[in-house]
Amino acid sequence: MKVVGAITDIREQINTLKSEGKKVAFVPTMGALHAGHISLIDVAKKHADIVVVSIFVNPTQFGPNEDFDKYPRTTENDLDKCKVNGVDIVFLPTTEIMYGTGERYFSIEIKELNEHLDGGSRPGFFQGITLVVNKLFNIVRPHYAVFGQKDYQQYRILQKMVEEFNHEVELVMAPIVREKDGLAMSSRNAYLSDGERQKAPFVYQTLLSIKENIQNGEDNLKLLLQHKRDELEAKGFKNDYLNVFALEKMWPAKELKKGNTYLLAIAVYLGKTRLIDNILFEI
Ligand code: AMP
């Protein structure tokens, strides 16, 4: 496994591999790798000959009051995991390599897809993500790039970005990997105290119970969601959003139509930790 920091080096290595006819799949991450990330690496392997993982805690996607400074950084451990799991190249740039030191002259405006969910709650978040993924795609120029359903809105926004900016990459979405008790794996789960960790599976249980209620014919969606939000608050969670979203624009669904697929998505705070989760379901 090669660990590369410089843009010219990774370009050269990937150009050589491509000239040998190799297909390249790319998994962008912020490190603190867990089984969710490893599952993306496995999906990448199925699509291509060469798997490239980037590890970069991207400052531009963190708001001023968010956890950039204390975001877990476990590089040595991450590199071991990449090696054991058959990654070919790790791109490990510094912030200076990615962004230089000077001011920036461009930002990407994202329209409707950015209004709700994390786009609505975290101003600037998806501008930071589209910026860094644009740069990473231009640096790595992969045939495939794998992203998790865990960040479904991210996937939708990047799908549109690839389309509108004519990136020559095919995006692949991988399912959410969960702990045994249902909690979606996340690097941020490391922030949870023991007590919080015990409560955390209630997030996924809530999603499953809403889905079941809807599929069993509950037609007052507004009331059902309000009841579930109250339940979460009573258990000590602080709601950010809990709603059913139509996939096209990622807007809250006003009514659910038979035969359609929707995203049921949640973001809550447990203490200081922000947890997100979602399920896709057909009605
Ligand atoms: P992050 O390091 O949190 O930026 O995530 C890197 C990639 O891993 C993103 O495409 C995430 O959607 C994906 N990911 C994070 N957690 C999970 C999970 N539990 N299951 C599957 N993919 C995940």
Side-chain angles (χ1 to χ4, degrees):
M1 184 179 84
K2 297 206 169 79
V3 182
V4 187
I7 292 173
T8 43
D9 288 350
I10 190 149
R11 282 210 167 123
E12 201 178 294
Q13 295 203 14
I14 288 174
N15 282 342
T16 305
L17 290 162
K18 280 184 166 177
S19 70
E20 292 164 1
K22 300 274 200 302
K23 294 278 181 203
V24 176
F26 178 41
V27 181
T29 81
M30 296 209 298
L33 301 183
H34 50 67
H37 297 111
I38 306 304
S39 78
L40 305 193
I41 292 170
D42 291 340
V43 170
K45 274 196 233 160
K46 290 201 179 101
H47 280 81
D49 311 295
I50 299 294
V51 176
V52 179
V53 169
S54 64
I55 300 177
F56 178 62
V57 184
N58 173 36
T60 63
Q61 72 190 68
F62 287 80
N65 299 315
E66 294 185 349
D67 55 346
F68 176 70
D69 288 331
K70 80 172 183 99
Y71 195 84
R73 288 161 172 90
T74 59
T75 310
E76 286 312 309
N77 199 4
D78 292 347
L79 293 177
D80 286 347
K81 285 187 180 165
C82 286
K83 200 167 177 180
V84 169
N85 288 284
V87 171
D88 298 281
I89 303 176
V90 176
F91 181 47
L92 189 66
T94 60
T95 303
E96 195 174 347
I97 284 176
M98 287 304 285
Y99 288 112
T101 46
E103 69 184 289
R104 276 202 305 284
Y105 293 85
F106 293 91
S107 72
I108 298 173
E109 186 192 343
I110 311 161
K111 304 210 170 168
E112 290 104 321
L113 287 172
N114 196 33
E115 282 182 23
H116 297 279
L117 297 124
D118 279 28
S121 299
R122 302 179 65 185
F125 175 55
F126 283 118
Q127 280 81 4
I129 288 186
T130 48
L131 179 64
V132 79
V133 175
N134 247 305
K135 288 162 84 67
L136 289 168
F137 281 176
N138 284 328
I139 294 165
V140 176
R141 297 198 302 116
H143 299 95
Y144 300 93
V146 187
F147 294 89
Q149 183 195 318
K150 167 96 187 305
D151 301 275
Y152 188 86
Q153 188 181 24
Q154 162 176 281
Y155 186 80
R156 281 290 292 140
I157 288 175
L158 293 178
Q159 247 184 346
K160 281 287 168 203
M161 183 189 86
V162 163
E163 213 177 289
E164 291 194 19
F165 289 79
N166 305 92
H167 282 287
E168 255 188 314
V169 59
E170 188 178 316
L171 298 195
V172 179
M173 188 171 79
I176 301 176
V177 176
R178 300 178 179 283
E179 303 285 357
K180 280 204 184 74
D181 58 15
L183 175 64
M185 288 194 184
S186 163
S187 307
R188 289 193 167 94
N189 292 351
Y191 300 153
L192 297 170
S193 68
D194 290 349
E196 289 167 349
R197 176 62 190 82
Q198 284 191 346
K199 278 189 193 175
F202 190 66
V203 172
Y204 183 51
Q205 286 159 19
T206 301
L207 295 184
L208 290 180
S209 116
I210 293 170
K211 175 182 130 173
E212 205 175 288
N213 275 284
I214 293 172
Q215 288 180 331
N216 287 341
E218 170 63 64
D219 55 5
N220 195 334
L221 184 60
K222 210 171 151 193
L223 204 69
L224 171 66
L225 290 170
Q226 196 47 53
H227 169 65
K228 293 295 176 185
R229 288 185 200 114
D230 293 344
E231 224 174 61
L232 282 155
E233 294 273 344
K235 287 218 183 248
F237 294 87
K238 194 171 158 298
N239 287 303
D240 182 346
Y241 58 77
L242 170 62
N243 221 330
V244 176
F245 297 89
L247 298 188
E248 181 54 29
K249 292 196 169 163
M250 302 268 80
W251 283 359
K254 290 211 176 70
E255 50 168 346
L256 305 184
K257 291 197 188 114
K258 270 226 164 321
N260 282 2
T261 300
Y262 294 92
L263 183 80
L264 169 59
I266 186 167
V268 287
Y269 287 89
L270 189 49
K272 287 202 167 100
T273 309
R274 189 168 186 276
L275 301 174
I276 60 168
D277 200 351
N278 68 69
I279 44 183
L280 285 165
F281 71 99
E282 197 186 316
I283 147 148

